[in-house]
Amino acid sequence: MSCDLLRLAADLLGDLLAPRTCALCDSMAAVSPCPNCSAMLPPPPTPRTVDGTPVWAAQPYAEPVSGAVRRLKYERRVDVVPTLARLLAPVGLELAAIPGLWLVPVPLHAHRLAERGYNQSALLARAVCREWQKEPSRSRVAVAPRVLLRTRETGHQARRSRSERLDALDGAFLVPTPRRLVGRPVVLVDDVVTTGATVRACTAALRQANAEVVGVLAVCDSCPPTDSGT
Ligand SMILES: [Zn+2]
């Protein structure tokens, strides 16, 4: 059985065994997000572009979704992934029709991956893919978690100046086998787009490998629409 099938089986088992709670507020609920949280959700932010690459996000970086993203990253709450994916999948639905599309998660450095045990962006990409594949005509989208590597630990970007961020990310991402990406339509998947610096570095590495970078999908976009994000 492939890793993805094992993961899917684990997800389905988890759904059966887990108490029915809202992933955003942890209250008992038959659906997630619960009606209270759904009523609180603002509309998706207007897509912005980073170096000409459109960024589609499900939400601004605001409660209750921002809290769920923090729990996913820092408290091992992988149970929030299906709910976040249900919010994200409709935002990028038109992408699901692109033939041969690969979803490429923003990679973690190997040390961070070992520490956390999972890459939250890869979990989100797989869950979005599963949401899209509920419609058979979209079954050709794949997740490609190993085509992009993070070769340097880049620390916490938000605490740095713009030039420090760009220096920290310069050469931090690598495509180990570029020939696999030539002409391939790809969408980068991230949990939160903040300054756009990580998006820039990742899309530059993908374009250098001659991939066709279609856009970025993120659960949250923390910046207002602009093409001058740092
Ligand atoms: Zn709720």
Side-chain angles (χ1 to χ4, degrees):
M1 192 182 273
S2 75
C3 288
D4 280 343
L5 282 176
L6 280 172
R7 283 191 194 95
L8 181 60
D11 283 353
L12 293 174
L13 191 63
D15 275 355
L16 287 173
L17 298 178
R20 291 286 169 177
T21 57
C22 170
L24 303 187
C25 69
D26 281 339
S27 65
M28 296 297 287
V31 291
S32 180
C34 71
N36 281 346
C37 285
S38 290
M40 285 172 62
L41 296 177
T46 305
R48 61 166 158 156
T49 59
V50 173
D51 282 352
T53 307
V55 176
W56 292 279
Q59 288 283 290
Y61 192 71
E63 295 293 349
V65 171
S66 56
V69 171
R70 283 195 300 274
R71 291 194 292 281
L72 169 61
K73 288 172 77 167
Y74 306 117
E75 298 175 18
R76 299 180 183 275
R77 288 285 305 275
V78 293
D79 59 292
V80 306
V81 167
T83 301
L84 296 180
R86 278 196 288 278
L87 297 174
L88 184 52
V91 173
L93 195 55
E94 65 188 79
L95 302 171
I98 298 173
L101 182 72
W102 282 1
L103 297 183
V104 176
V106 170
L108 297 181
H109 186 271
H111 292 163
R112 179 68 62 85
L113 183 61
E115 181 183 276
R116 190 171 290 166
Y118 56 89
N119 175 355
Q120 71 280 357
S121 297
L123 296 182
L124 288 164
R126 287 196 183 90
V128 165
C129 207
R130 281 199 293 273
E131 286 296 312
W132 285 349
Q133 287 172 349
K134 287 176 180 173
E135 176 66 47
S137 64
R138 305 187 202 116
S139 61
R140 300 183 70 83
V141 178
V143 179
R146 281 176 283 277
V147 300
L148 187 61
L149 297 181
R150 191 186 291 244
T151 56
R152 276 214 318 270
E153 291 187 271
T154 48
H156 293 285
Q157 289 292 89
R159 294 175 197 156
R160 296 187 165 123
S161 71
R162 183 175 192 273
S163 63
E164 285 171 339
R165 281 176 202 140
L166 295 176
D167 285 349
L169 287 163
D170 187 31
F173 296 95
L174 172 78
V175 175
T177 47
R179 69 178 184 282
R180 296 180 64 202
L181 278 175
V182 175
R184 170 72 60 181
V186 299
V187 167
L188 189 70
V189 179
D190 204 355
D191 50 1
V192 180
V193 174
T194 306
T195 64
T198 302
V199 164
R200 273 196 184 84
C202 288
T203 55
L206 292 167
R207 288 197 173 106
Q208 200 167 17
N210 292 310
E212 185 200 332
V213 181
V214 180
V216 180
L217 265 180
V219 176
C220 294
D221 185 347
S222 71
C223 283
T226 171
D227 199 22
S228 58
T230 54

